[in-house]
């Protein structure tokens, strides 16, 4: 069976980028739907640490680079959404920690310490007195916490509840289809086409704009795109990480970057903690990233877990890891290709004919992505398509609604 359907905007990929845009664009009056291959957030989004950050970690080399400046107002935008006062209503999203900390165990006189206390960073970081330390650093027994603990403007969201909150208002515009083929889209407002193979039928969906938000999947979609030869689609780069999870029984979950004495773009360890399904409240999945995950791509799973264990025991000697359960897995960050494997500064969106290609590069930058997408469509003077009611009715009859995927640590041993 074949049905010819029309919609103004078809978003491909249901991670944070696609769901954020589905909300922003429908609110801005663009008639939009989203098609996901598997389950929502099952790519990078649920594998992320959920830190909404103000970019300070990108200043750890001693420079306030464009990346650290562009991102500075993102935590404020997100906080407004979480309160119900922002561009999107994220009141249903759970906040795991309303603060994020940076612990510099370095010496009193280090250059880094002087930088962190400098005028340039005022308002973005506060050095805490021991009495103000988070619960994790209280009750350390005979072990004294050395160095300085800073409080950042950053905070941590629970990504499954974030995705569920973004999906809830638009469930009749969310579809699952495992096989999607892109064609056309040469520009001049002629629109692009998606062929959706449901197994039993093949549907042709014409959209004035297709927005690719498929993360790592953008690469294959672009490679298979039957497009006019005059278009040059953007290319993608991957940055691999070897993340570690450890189930720890301890009542105070940690949320911090651990850094030493030296300047460097990546903290030695970034740790977040996530609710454990079968927990009584004192067991958490600690999720370990930072330099440990970057250098860990060279290590086997066994070596990476042994290395992580050593790191945690030396950083947090007051915690008992003897009963902890360790796991690790490899995951890629998908980003637009930039020179020298540098990190992109902003959310990326580029028009290639009638197809817009997005990589938010960070969860944090979604408000920035939303602004850029709305501005781009407004500037292109997109004219409203016919009412998409027939399209929605047909798609809802033939395709199922994708659920939120399971966090990676729920599927590990
Ligand atoms: P994804 O989340 O990968 O979603 C893409 C979706 O597209 C998936 O659901 C996938 O199934 C679907 N898809 C793929 N191919 C197709 C297809 N052919 N058709 C239809 N659908 C398709 N950022 C932060 O700001 N803070 C952090 O703390 C943070 N931590 C991170 C930790 C790790 C380990 C990683 C990997 C990333 C982290 N990031 C963080 C970055 C952030 O997670 C990503 O930038 C963001 O999640 C990307 O979202 P996305 O929607 O573009 O992609």
């Amino acid at each position: 069976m074949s049905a010819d359907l029309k919609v103004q905007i078809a978003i491909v990929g249901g991670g944070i980028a696609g769901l954020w845009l589905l909300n922003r664009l429908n609110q801005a009056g663009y008639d939009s739907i989203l098609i996901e291959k598997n389950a929502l957030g099952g790519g990078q989004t649920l594998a992320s640490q959920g830190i909404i950050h103000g970019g300070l970690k990108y200043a750890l080399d001693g420079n306030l680079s464009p990346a650290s400046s562009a991102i500075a107002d993102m935590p404020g935008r997100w906080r407004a959404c979480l309160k119900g006062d922002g561009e999107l209503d994220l009141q249903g999203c759970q906040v795991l920690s309303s603060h994020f900390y940076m612990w510099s165990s370095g010496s009193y006189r280090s250059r880094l310490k002087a930088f962190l206390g400098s005028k340039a960073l005022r308002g973005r970081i506060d050095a805490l007195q021991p009495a103000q330390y988070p619960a994790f650093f209280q009750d350390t027994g005979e072990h004294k916490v050395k160095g300085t603990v800073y409080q950042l403007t950053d905070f941590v969201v629970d990504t499954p509840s974030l995705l569920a909150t973004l999906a809830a208002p638009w469930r009749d515009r969310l579809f699952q289809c495992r096989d999607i083929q892109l064609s056309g889209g040469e520009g001049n407002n002629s629109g692009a086409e998606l062929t959706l193979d449901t197994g039993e039928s093949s549907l042709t969906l014409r959209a004035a704009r297709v927005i690719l938000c498929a993360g790592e999947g953008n690469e294959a979609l672009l490679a298979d795109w039957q497009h006019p030869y005059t278009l040059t689609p953007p290319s993608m780069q991957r940055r691999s990480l070897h993340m570690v999870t450890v189930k720890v029984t301890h009542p105070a979950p940690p949320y911090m970057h651990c850094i030493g004495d030296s300047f460097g773009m990546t903290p030695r360890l970034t740790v977040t903690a996530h609710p454990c399904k079968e927990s009584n409240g004192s067991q958490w999945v600690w999720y370990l990233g930072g330099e440990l995950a970057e250098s860990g791509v060279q290590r086997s799973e066994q070596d990476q877990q042994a290395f992580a264990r050593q790191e945690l025991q030396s950083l947090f000697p007051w915690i008992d890891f003897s009963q902890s359960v360790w796991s690790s897995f490899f995951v890629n960050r998908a980003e637009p290709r930039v020179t020298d494997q540098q990190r992109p500064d902003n959310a990326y969106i580029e028009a290639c004919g009638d197809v817009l290609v997005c990589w938010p590069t960070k969860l944090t930058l979604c408000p920035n992505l939303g602004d850029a997408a709305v501005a781009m469509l407004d500037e292109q003077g997109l004219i409203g398509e016919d009412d998409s009611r027939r399209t929605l009715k047909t798609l809802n009859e033939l395709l199922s609604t994708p659920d939120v995927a399971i966090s990676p640590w729920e599927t590990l041993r």
Side-chain angles (χ1 to χ4, degrees):
M1 187 191 118
S2 169
D4 291 322
L5 304 166
K6 276 186 187 170
V7 70
Q8 195 175 23
I9 295 189
I11 299 167
V12 180
I16 186 65
L19 285 168
W20 192 280
L21 290 187
L22 182 69
N23 280 263
R24 271 300 299 272
L25 297 183
N26 274 307
Q27 278 183 11
Y30 291 105
D31 192 354
S32 311
I33 63 161
L34 185 152
I35 308 156
E36 161 62 42
K37 186 179 183 171
N38 297 312
L40 303 173
Q44 300 155 88
T45 303
L46 288 175
S48 86
Q49 293 192 280
I51 308 165
I52 304 302
H53 56 87
L56 197 84
K57 77 173 191 164
Y58 300 110
L60 281 180
D61 59 353
N63 291 309
L64 282 172
S65 64
S68 63
S69 314
I71 208 171
D73 60 343
M74 291 298 129
R77 300 262 308 259
W78 278 84
R79 282 188 202 275
C81 294
L82 290 161
K83 276 203 299 189
D85 295 338
E87 64 241 52
L88 301 183
D89 183 354
L90 295 183
Q91 289 178 93
C93 171
Q94 197 192 337
V95 174
L96 293 176
S97 177
S98 50
H99 292 294
F100 204 75
Y101 299 91
M102 180 166 344
W103 176 34
S104 165
S105 52
S107 77
Y108 186 69
R109 289 177 185 282
S110 78
R111 232 164 34 92
L112 179 64
K113 179 160 176 145
F115 172 69
L116 293 175
S118 70
K119 245 196 201 156
L121 297 185
R122 205 158 285 166
R124 295 172 71 178
I125 181 164
D126 285 320
L128 299 180
Q129 297 301 320
Q132 301 170 301
Y133 285 2
F136 179 74
F137 282 122
Q138 312 288 347
D139 287 335
T140 57
E142 79 230 37
H143 300 279
K144 191 171 177 306
V145 177
K146 291 197 192 119
T148 314
V149 179
Y150 300 90
Q151 184 175 292
L152 310 181
T153 54
D154 310 16
F155 59 93
V156 185
V157 293
D158 174 63
T159 47
S161 71
L162 169 63
L163 294 170
T165 303
L166 287 169
W170 308 106
R171 287 192 68 76
D172 66 334
R173 288 173 176 267
L174 283 173
F175 304 101
Q176 188 190 45
C177 179
R178 290 190 194 281
D179 191 349
I180 302 168
Q181 174 75 47
L182 172 65
S183 57
E186 48 268 60
N188 306 323
N189 281 331
S190 54
E193 242 172 49
L194 292 174
T195 308
L196 310 177
D197 186 347
T198 69
E200 283 150 24
S201 56
S202 175
L203 308 172
T204 307
L205 176 65
R206 174 158 282 279
R209 293 291 180 278
V210 167
I211 308 189
L212 297 186
C213 291
E216 217 175 339
N218 279 353
E219 190 175 55
L221 284 161
L222 288 171
D224 295 344
W225 178 15
Q226 289 153 15
H227 64 80
Y229 64 93
T230 45
L231 295 177
T232 313
S235 353
M236 192 187 91
Q237 71 185 29
R238 291 179 174 82
R239 278 194 297 123
S240 297
L241 296 167
H242 191 172
M243 302 296 287
V244 177
T245 65
V246 50
K247 281 189 189 167
V248 182
T249 304
H250 187 270
Y255 295 95
M256 75 183 90
H257 299 301
C258 302
I259 49 177
D261 241 348
S262 58
F263 283 110
M265 279 284 274
T266 308
R268 173 177 170 185
L269 175 74
T270 297
V271 52
T272 51
H274 304 265
C276 210
K277 243 190 200 154
E278 62 292 358
S279 158
N280 57 9
S282 65
Q283 196 181 47
W284 294 83
V285 177
W286 290 19
Y287 191 32
L288 314 180
E291 172 55 26
L292 171 125
E294 289 188 10
S295 61
V297 292
Q298 310 295 343
R299 291 182 209 107
S300 68
E301 289 190 21
Q302 206 183 5
D303 289 351
Q304 176 71 339
Q305 290 164 32
F307 180 78
R309 191 180 192 122
Q310 250 174 25
E311 281 286 85
L312 291 198
Q313 273 165 351
S314 91
L315 285 162
F316 313 128
W318 62 92
I319 308 274
D320 176 10
F321 293 105
S322 59
Q323 303 301 314
S324 301
V325 183
W326 301 79
S327 271
S328 66
F329 63 95
F330 293 84
V331 60
N332 290 325
R333 289 181 83 134
E335 299 169 340
R337 187 181 296 287
V338 289
T339 48
D340 304 331
Q341 285 276 311
Q342 288 296 308
R343 296 168 198 219
D345 296 337
N346 263 312
Y348 177 93
I349 178 163
E350 189 173 309
C352 191
D354 296 320
V355 175
L356 311 188
V357 185
C358 300
W359 286 285
T361 76
K362 292 166 197 75
L363 193 74
T364 305
L365 283 168
C366 280
N368 176 249
L369 176 69
D371 292 349
V374 171
M376 190 174 271
L377 293 171
D378 286 353
E379 197 184 302
Q380 291 178 353
L382 199 60
I383 297 155
E385 278 289 328
D386 296 342
D387 185 349
S388 67
R389 257 177 298 186
R390 189 180 78 85
T391 300
L392 290 181
K393 187 170 177 294
T394 310
L395 291 179
N396 275 298
E397 277 164 11
L398 295 176
L399 299 173
S400 55
T401 309
D403 289 321
V404 174
I406 295 169
S407 297
W409 47 86
E410 302 284 0
T411 59
L412 297 171
R413 281 166 285 128

